[in-house]
PDB file of all heavy atoms in Angstrom:
ATOM      1  N   THR A 246     -17.380-112.570-136.301  1.00  0.00           N
ATOM      2  CA  THR A 246     -18.636-113.055-135.747  1.00  0.00           C
ATOM      3  C   THR A 246     -19.711-112.769-136.791  1.00  0.00           C
ATOM      4  O   THR A 246     -19.443-112.079-137.786  1.00  0.00           O
ATOM      5  CB  THR A 246     -18.984-112.350-134.422  1.00  0.00           C
ATOM      6  OG1 THR A 246     -19.487-111.025-134.689  1.00  0.00           O
ATOM      7  CG2 THR A 246     -17.767-112.274-133.497  1.00  0.00           C
ATOM      8  N   PRO A 247     -20.944-113.253-136.603  1.00  0.00           N
ATOM      9  CA  PRO A 247     -21.970-112.967-137.610  1.00  0.00           C
ATOM     10  C   PRO A 247     -22.249-111.487-137.809  1.00  0.00           C
ATOM     11  O   PRO A 247     -22.707-111.096-138.898  1.00  0.00           O
ATOM     12  CB  PRO A 247     -23.202-113.697-137.057  1.00  0.00           C
ATOM     13  CG  PRO A 247     -22.635-114.840-136.272  1.00  0.00           C
ATOM     14  CD  PRO A 247     -21.406-114.265-135.627  1.00  0.00           C
ATOM     15  N   THR A 248     -21.967-110.644-136.826  1.00  0.00           N
ATOM     16  CA  THR A 248     -22.310-109.225-136.938  1.00  0.00           C
ATOM     17  C   THR A 248     -21.119-108.290-136.933  1.00  0.00           C
ATOM     18  O   THR A 248     -21.264-107.120-137.294  1.00  0.00           O
ATOM     19  CB  THR A 248     -23.248-108.806-135.785  1.00  0.00           C
ATOM     20  OG1 THR A 248     -22.585-109.049-134.522  1.00  0.00           O
ATOM     21  CG2 THR A 248     -24.547-109.593-135.835  1.00  0.00           C
ATOM     22  N   ARG A 249     -19.936-108.772-136.552  1.00  0.00           N
ATOM     23  CA  ARG A 249     -18.783-107.871-136.439  1.00  0.00           C
ATOM     24  C   ARG A 249     -17.500-108.547-136.910  1.00  0.00           C
ATOM     25  O   ARG A 249     -17.368-109.771-136.842  1.00  0.00           O
ATOM     26  CB  ARG A 249     -18.596-107.406-134.994  1.00  0.00           C
ATOM     27  CG  ARG A 249     -19.773-106.678-134.404  1.00  0.00           C
ATOM     28  CD  ARG A 249     -19.413-105.994-133.083  1.00  0.00           C
ATOM     29  NE  ARG A 249     -18.939-106.965-132.104  1.00  0.00           N
ATOM     30  CZ  ARG A 249     -18.444-106.633-130.910  1.00  0.00           C
ATOM     31  NH1 ARG A 249     -18.351-105.357-130.570  1.00  0.00           N
ATOM     32  NH2 ARG A 249     -18.037-107.555-130.067  1.00  0.00           N
ATOM     33  N   ALA A 250     -16.578-107.726-137.369  1.00  0.00           N
ATOM     34  CA  ALA A 250     -15.203-108.146-137.620  1.00  0.00           C
ATOM     35  C   ALA A 250     -14.320-107.315-136.695  1.00  0.00           C
ATOM     36  O   ALA A 250     -14.302-106.079-136.793  1.00  0.00           O
ATOM     37  CB  ALA A 250     -14.814-107.935-139.077  1.00  0.00           C
ATOM     38  N   ILE A 251     -13.640-107.972-135.788  1.00  0.00           N
ATOM     39  CA  ILE A 251     -12.869-107.282-134.752  1.00  0.00           C
ATOM     40  C   ILE A 251     -11.395-107.543-134.990  1.00  0.00           C
ATOM     41  O   ILE A 251     -10.939-108.699-134.975  1.00  0.00           O
ATOM     42  CB  ILE A 251     -13.260-107.780-133.350  1.00  0.00           C
ATOM     43  CG1 ILE A 251     -14.775-107.675-133.151  1.00  0.00           C
ATOM     44  CG2 ILE A 251     -12.512-107.002-132.276  1.00  0.00           C
ATOM     45  CD1 ILE A 251     -15.317-108.610-132.106  1.00  0.00           C
ATOM     46  N   THR A 252     -10.665-106.487-135.232  1.00  0.00           N
ATOM     47  CA  THR A 252      -9.234-106.639-135.456  1.00  0.00           C
ATOM     48  C   THR A 252      -8.453-106.070-134.289  1.00  0.00           C
ATOM     49  O   THR A 252      -8.662-104.921-133.884  1.00  0.00           O
ATOM     50  CB  THR A 252      -8.797-105.933-136.751  1.00  0.00           C
ATOM     51  OG1 THR A 252      -9.329-106.640-137.867  1.00  0.00           O
ATOM     52  CG2 THR A 252      -7.284-105.934-136.888  1.00  0.00           C
ATOM     53  N   GLU A 253      -7.564-106.871-133.740  1.00  0.00           N
ATOM     54  CA  GLU A 253      -6.632-106.403-132.726  1.00  0.00           C
ATOM     55  C   GLU A 253      -5.235-106.382-133.344  1.00  0.00           C
ATOM     56  O   GLU A 253      -4.675-107.421-133.693  1.00  0.00           O
ATOM     57  CB  GLU A 253      -6.642-107.306-131.503  1.00  0.00           C
ATOM     58  CG  GLU A 253      -5.730-106.803-130.389  1.00  0.00           C
ATOM     59  CD  GLU A 253      -5.804-107.655-129.141  1.00  0.00           C
ATOM     60  OE1 GLU A 253      -5.208-108.755-129.142  1.00  0.00           O
ATOM     61  OE2 GLU A 253      -6.478-107.233-128.172  1.00  0.00           O
ATOM     62  N   TYR A 254      -4.729-105.175-133.529  1.00  0.00           N
ATOM     63  CA  TYR A 254      -3.345-105.018-133.974  1.00  0.00           C
ATOM     64  C   TYR A 254      -2.448-105.285-132.774  1.00  0.00           C
ATOM     65  O   TYR A 254      -2.580-104.617-131.739  1.00  0.00           O
ATOM     66  CB  TYR A 254      -3.117-103.613-134.523  1.00  0.00           C
ATOM     67  CG  TYR A 254      -3.854-103.327-135.804  1.00  0.00           C
ATOM     68  CD1 TYR A 254      -5.202-102.957-135.784  1.00  0.00           C
ATOM     69  CD2 TYR A 254      -3.224-103.431-137.036  1.00  0.00           C
ATOM     70  CE1 TYR A 254      -5.895-102.698-136.962  1.00  0.00           C
ATOM     71  CE2 TYR A 254      -3.907-103.174-138.220  1.00  0.00           C
ATOM     72  CZ  TYR A 254      -5.244-102.810-138.171  1.00  0.00           C
ATOM     73  OH  TYR A 254      -5.924-102.562-139.335  1.00  0.00           O
ATOM     74  N   ARG A 255      -1.568-106.235-132.902  1.00  0.00           N
ATOM     75  CA  ARG A 255      -0.660-106.614-131.815  1.00  0.00           C
ATOM     76  C   ARG A 255       0.753-106.204-132.196  1.00  0.00           C
ATOM     77  O   ARG A 255       1.331-106.763-133.142  1.00  0.00           O
ATOM     78  CB  ARG A 255      -0.759-108.119-131.550  1.00  0.00           C
ATOM     79  CG  ARG A 255      -2.150-108.558-131.074  1.00  0.00           C
ATOM     80  CD  ARG A 255      -2.280-110.064-130.942  1.00  0.00           C
ATOM     81  NE  ARG A 255      -3.568-110.424-130.347  1.00  0.00           N
ATOM     82  CZ  ARG A 255      -3.972-111.677-130.131  1.00  0.00           C
ATOM     83  NH1 ARG A 255      -3.198-112.696-130.478  1.00  0.00           N
ATOM     84  NH2 ARG A 255      -5.152-111.908-129.575  1.00  0.00           N
ATOM     85  N   PHE A 256       1.287-105.238-131.473  1.00  0.00           N
ATOM     86  CA  PHE A 256       2.563-104.634-131.837  1.00  0.00           C
ATOM     87  C   PHE A 256       3.707-105.259-131.040  1.00  0.00           C
ATOM     88  O   PHE A 256       3.717-105.234-129.805  1.00  0.00           O
ATOM     89  CB  PHE A 256       2.526-103.127-131.578  1.00  0.00           C
ATOM     90  CG  PHE A 256       1.435-102.414-132.331  1.00  0.00           C
ATOM     91  CD1 PHE A 256       0.419-101.755-131.649  1.00  0.00           C
ATOM     92  CD2 PHE A 256       1.412-102.420-133.713  1.00  0.00           C
ATOM     93  CE1 PHE A 256      -0.584-101.098-132.335  1.00  0.00           C
ATOM     94  CE2 PHE A 256       0.410-101.774-134.415  1.00  0.00           C
ATOM     95  CZ  PHE A 256      -0.593-101.120-133.715  1.00  0.00           C
ATOM     96  N   SER A 257       4.684-105.800-131.740  1.00  0.00           N
ATOM     97  CA  SER A 257       5.857-106.389-131.101  1.00  0.00           C
ATOM     98  C   SER A 257       6.694-105.319-130.416  1.00  0.00           C
ATOM     99  O   SER A 257       6.780-104.180-130.892  1.00  0.00           O
ATOM    100  CB  SER A 257       6.726-107.114-132.139  1.00  0.00           C
ATOM    101  OG  SER A 257       6.002-108.132-132.800  1.00  0.00           O
ATOM    102  N   ALA A 258       7.323-105.703-129.318  1.00  0.00           N
ATOM    103  CA  ALA A 258       8.223-104.783-128.617  1.00  0.00           C
ATOM    104  C   ALA A 258       9.599-104.853-129.275  1.00  0.00           C
ATOM    105  O   ALA A 258      10.611-105.200-128.646  1.00  0.00           O
ATOM    106  CB  ALA A 258       8.301-105.128-127.139  1.00  0.00           C
ATOM    107  N   GLY A 259       9.648-104.527-130.551  1.00  0.00           N
ATOM    108  CA  GLY A 259      10.892-104.535-131.298  1.00  0.00           C
ATOM    109  C   GLY A 259      11.172-105.872-131.953  1.00  0.00           C
ATOM    110  O   GLY A 259      10.489-106.872-131.718  1.00  0.00           O
ATOM    111  N   VAL A 260      12.213-105.890-132.795  1.00  0.00           N
ATOM    112  CA  VAL A 260      12.611-107.104-133.510  1.00  0.00           C
ATOM    113  C   VAL A 260      14.104-107.396-133.377  1.00  0.00           C
ATOM    114  O   VAL A 260      14.572-108.424-133.856  1.00  0.00           O
ATOM    115  CB  VAL A 260      12.249-107.020-135.014  1.00  0.00           C
ATOM    116  CG1 VAL A 260      10.741-106.891-135.195  1.00  0.00           C
ATOM    117  CG2 VAL A 260      12.974-105.867-135.711  1.00  0.00           C
ATOM    118  N   ARG A 261      14.841-106.543-132.714  1.00  0.00           N
ATOM    119  CA  ARG A 261      16.282-106.757-132.598  1.00  0.00           C
ATOM    120  C   ARG A 261      16.626-107.820-131.557  1.00  0.00           C
ATOM    121  O   ARG A 261      17.685-108.437-131.626  1.00  0.00           O
ATOM    122  CB  ARG A 261      16.990-105.440-132.244  1.00  0.00           C
ATOM    123  CG  ARG A 261      16.788-104.324-133.249  1.00  0.00           C
ATOM    124  CD  ARG A 261      17.350-104.675-134.610  1.00  0.00           C
ATOM    125  NE  ARG A 261      18.806-104.662-134.651  1.00  0.00           N
ATOM    126  CZ  ARG A 261      19.532-104.846-135.746  1.00  0.00           C
ATOM    127  NH1 ARG A 261      18.918-105.075-136.902  1.00  0.00           N
ATOM    128  NH2 ARG A 261      20.843-104.821-135.699  1.00  0.00           N
ATOM    129  N   GLN A 262      15.750-108.007-130.557  1.00  0.00           N
ATOM    130  CA  GLN A 262      15.907-109.068-129.578  1.00  0.00           C
ATOM    131  C   GLN A 262      14.758-110.053-129.730  1.00  0.00           C
ATOM    132  O   GLN A 262      13.620-109.658-129.960  1.00  0.00           O
ATOM    133  CB  GLN A 262      15.889-108.495-128.148  1.00  0.00           C
ATOM    134  CG  GLN A 262      16.973-107.472-127.873  1.00  0.00           C
ATOM    135  CD  GLN A 262      18.368-108.073-127.922  1.00  0.00           C
ATOM    136  OE1 GLN A 262      18.567-109.222-127.527  1.00  0.00           O
ATOM    137  NE2 GLN A 262      19.334-107.296-128.400  1.00  0.00           N
ATOM    138  N   ARG A 263      15.039-111.344-129.586  1.00  0.00           N
ATOM    139  CA  ARG A 263      13.973-112.333-129.682  1.00  0.00           C
ATOM    140  C   ARG A 263      13.112-112.286-128.423  1.00  0.00           C
ATOM    141  O   ARG A 263      13.598-112.468-127.302  1.00  0.00           O
ATOM    142  CB  ARG A 263      14.554-113.734-129.872  1.00  0.00           C
ATOM    143  CG  ARG A 263      13.463-114.769-130.142  1.00  0.00           C
ATOM    144  CD  ARG A 263      14.026-116.141-130.427  1.00  0.00           C
ATOM    145  NE  ARG A 263      12.916-117.074-130.618  1.00  0.00           N
ATOM    146  CZ  ARG A 263      12.858-118.292-130.101  1.00  0.00           C
ATOM    147  NH1 ARG A 263      13.856-118.751-129.365  1.00  0.00           N
ATOM    148  NH2 ARG A 263      11.803-119.063-130.316  1.00  0.00           N
ATOM    149  N   SER A 264      11.828-112.005-128.580  1.00  0.00           N
ATOM    150  CA  SER A 264      10.913-111.837-127.451  1.00  0.00           C
ATOM    151  C   SER A 264       9.484-111.935-127.957  1.00  0.00           C
ATOM    152  O   SER A 264       9.189-111.556-129.092  1.00  0.00           O
ATOM    153  CB  SER A 264      11.127-110.468-126.792  1.00  0.00           C
ATOM    154  OG  SER A 264      10.113-110.180-125.850  1.00  0.00           O
ATOM    155  N   THR A 265       8.574-112.401-127.091  1.00  0.00           N
ATOM    156  CA  THR A 265       7.157-112.407-127.430  1.00  0.00           C
ATOM    157  C   THR A 265       6.415-111.284-126.718  1.00  0.00           C
ATOM    158  O   THR A 265       5.187-111.233-126.742  1.00  0.00           O
ATOM    159  CB  THR A 265       6.505-113.759-127.072  1.00  0.00           C
ATOM    160  OG1 THR A 265       6.694-114.019-125.672  1.00  0.00           O
ATOM    161  CG2 THR A 265       7.125-114.884-127.889  1.00  0.00           C
ATOM    162  N   ARG A 266       7.160-110.372-126.118  1.00  0.00           N
ATOM    163  CA  ARG A 266       6.516-109.259-125.410  1.00  0.00           C
ATOM    164  C   ARG A 266       5.903-108.285-126.413  1.00  0.00           C
ATOM    165  O   ARG A 266       6.483-108.009-127.465  1.00  0.00           O
ATOM    166  CB  ARG A 266       7.549-108.519-124.548  1.00  0.00           C
ATOM    167  CG  ARG A 266       6.947-107.447-123.648  1.00  0.00           C
ATOM    168  CD  ARG A 266       7.975-106.949-122.646  1.00  0.00           C
ATOM    169  NE  ARG A 266       9.101-106.307-123.302  1.00  0.00           N
ATOM    170  CZ  ARG A 266       9.137-105.005-123.606  1.00  0.00           C
ATOM    171  NH1 ARG A 266       8.107-104.218-123.312  1.00  0.00           N
ATOM    172  NH2 ARG A 266      10.204-104.495-124.188  1.00  0.00           N
ATOM    173  N   LEU A 267       4.725-107.759-126.085  1.00  0.00           N
ATOM    174  CA  LEU A 267       4.064-106.768-126.919  1.00  0.00           C
ATOM    175  C   LEU A 267       4.315-105.372-126.387  1.00  0.00           C
ATOM    176  O   LEU A 267       4.384-105.144-125.175  1.00  0.00           O
ATOM    177  CB  LEU A 267       2.552-107.019-126.977  1.00  0.00           C
ATOM    178  CG  LEU A 267       2.073-108.303-127.652  1.00  0.00           C
ATOM    179  CD1 LEU A 267       0.550-108.335-127.658  1.00  0.00           C
ATOM    180  CD2 LEU A 267       2.618-108.451-129.066  1.00  0.00           C
ATOM    181  N   ALA A 268       4.419-104.430-127.297  1.00  0.00           N
ATOM    182  CA  ALA A 268       4.510-103.021-126.916  1.00  0.00           C
ATOM    183  C   ALA A 268       3.126-102.433-126.686  1.00  0.00           C
ATOM    184  O   ALA A 268       2.984-101.406-126.019  1.00  0.00           O
ATOM    185  CB  ALA A 268       5.237-102.232-128.000  1.00  0.00           C
ATOM    186  N   GLY A 269       2.097-103.046-127.254  1.00  0.00           N
ATOM    187  CA  GLY A 269       0.737-102.537-127.114  1.00  0.00           C
ATOM    188  C   GLY A 269      -0.179-103.188-128.128  1.00  0.00           C
ATOM    189  O   GLY A 269       0.254-104.014-128.952  1.00  0.00           O
ATOM    190  N   THR A 270      -1.443-102.815-128.073  1.00  0.00           N
ATOM    191  CA  THR A 270      -2.444-103.319-129.008  1.00  0.00           C
ATOM    192  C   THR A 270      -3.377-102.178-129.423  1.00  0.00           C
ATOM    193  O   THR A 270      -3.439-101.150-128.763  1.00  0.00           O
ATOM    194  CB  THR A 270      -3.300-104.454-128.392  1.00  0.00           C
ATOM    195  OG1 THR A 270      -3.989-103.944-127.243  1.00  0.00           O
ATOM    196  CG2 THR A 270      -2.426-105.633-127.988  1.00  0.00           C
ATOM    197  N   LYS A 271      -4.077-102.378-130.512  1.00  0.00           N
ATOM    198  CA  LYS A 271      -5.105-101.442-130.968  1.00  0.00           C
ATOM    199  C   LYS A 271      -6.268-102.259-131.497  1.00  0.00           C
ATOM    200  O   LYS A 271      -6.089-103.101-132.391  1.00  0.00           O
ATOM    201  CB  LYS A 271      -4.563-100.521-132.069  1.00  0.00           C
ATOM    202  CG  LYS A 271      -5.623 -99.630-132.728  1.00  0.00           C
ATOM    203  CD  LYS A 271      -6.207 -98.621-131.766  1.00  0.00           C
ATOM    204  CE  LYS A 271      -7.252 -97.757-132.457  1.00  0.00           C
ATOM    205  NZ  LYS A 271      -7.847 -96.765-131.530  1.00  0.00           N
ATOM    206  N   ARG A 272      -7.474-101.993-130.978  1.00  0.00           N
ATOM    207  CA  ARG A 272      -8.663-102.761-131.349  1.00  0.00           C
ATOM    208  C   ARG A 272      -9.580-101.906-132.211  1.00  0.00           C
ATOM    209  O   ARG A 272      -9.925-100.781-131.839  1.00  0.00           O
ATOM    210  CB  ARG A 272      -9.393-103.218-130.084  1.00  0.00           C
ATOM    211  CG  ARG A 272     -10.541-104.210-130.296  1.00  0.00           C
ATOM    212  CD  ARG A 272     -10.997-104.692-128.919  1.00  0.00           C
ATOM    213  NE  ARG A 272     -12.003-105.740-129.003  1.00  0.00           N
ATOM    214  CZ  ARG A 272     -13.310-105.513-128.918  1.00  0.00           C
ATOM    215  NH1 ARG A 272     -13.766-104.275-128.761  1.00  0.00           N
ATOM    216  NH2 ARG A 272     -14.172-106.521-128.983  1.00  0.00           N
ATOM    217  N   ILE A 273      -9.975-102.431-133.367  1.00  0.00           N
ATOM    218  CA  ILE A 273     -10.880-101.739-134.278  1.00  0.00           C
ATOM    219  C   ILE A 273     -12.000-102.710-134.656  1.00  0.00           C
ATOM    220  O   ILE A 273     -11.737-103.881-134.966  1.00  0.00           O
ATOM    221  CB  ILE A 273     -10.144-101.247-135.534  1.00  0.00           C
ATOM    222  CG1 ILE A 273      -9.038-100.255-135.130  1.00  0.00           C
ATOM    223  CG2 ILE A 273     -11.109-100.588-136.520  1.00  0.00           C
ATOM    224  CD1 ILE A 273      -8.214 -99.753-136.282  1.00  0.00           C
ATOM    225  N   VAL A 274     -13.241-102.212-134.631  1.00  0.00           N
ATOM    226  CA  VAL A 274     -14.403-103.060-134.865  1.00  0.00           C
ATOM    227  C   VAL A 274     -15.132-102.596-136.122  1.00  0.00           C
ATOM    228  O   VAL A 274     -15.397-101.399-136.297  1.00  0.00           O
ATOM    229  CB  VAL A 274     -15.373-103.031-133.666  1.00  0.00           C
ATOM    230  CG1 VAL A 274     -16.593-103.902-133.942  1.00  0.00           C
ATOM    231  CG2 VAL A 274     -14.666-103.501-132.397  1.00  0.00           C
ATOM    232  N   ALA A 275     -15.454-103.541-136.993  1.00  0.00           N
ATOM    233  CA  ALA A 275     -16.255-103.265-138.186  1.00  0.00           C
ATOM    234  C   ALA A 275     -17.632-103.882-138.005  1.00  0.00           C
ATOM    235  O   ALA A 275     -17.750-105.062-137.669  1.00  0.00           O
ATOM    236  CB  ALA A 275     -15.590-103.836-139.429  1.00  0.00           C
TER     237      ALA A 275
END
């Protein structure tokens, strides 16, 4: 945005099985 850069780390629930499920997220704002 004009005033912030917002990053959401989106963590996959593993890679051994094909899935779009997330294990969690982490949001950091600059």
Side-chain angles (χ1 to χ4, degrees):
T246 77
T248 59
R249 301 192 301 174
I251 307 156
T252 291
E253 183 177 77
Y254 292 82
R255 297 174 174 179
F256 302 118
S257 301
V260 298
R261 301 298 288 185
Q262 301 294 325
R263 187 176 178 224
S264 170
T265 58
R266 187 169 63 89
L267 294 182
T270 61
K271 173 65 180 180
R272 189 172 186 264
I273 299 178
V274 179

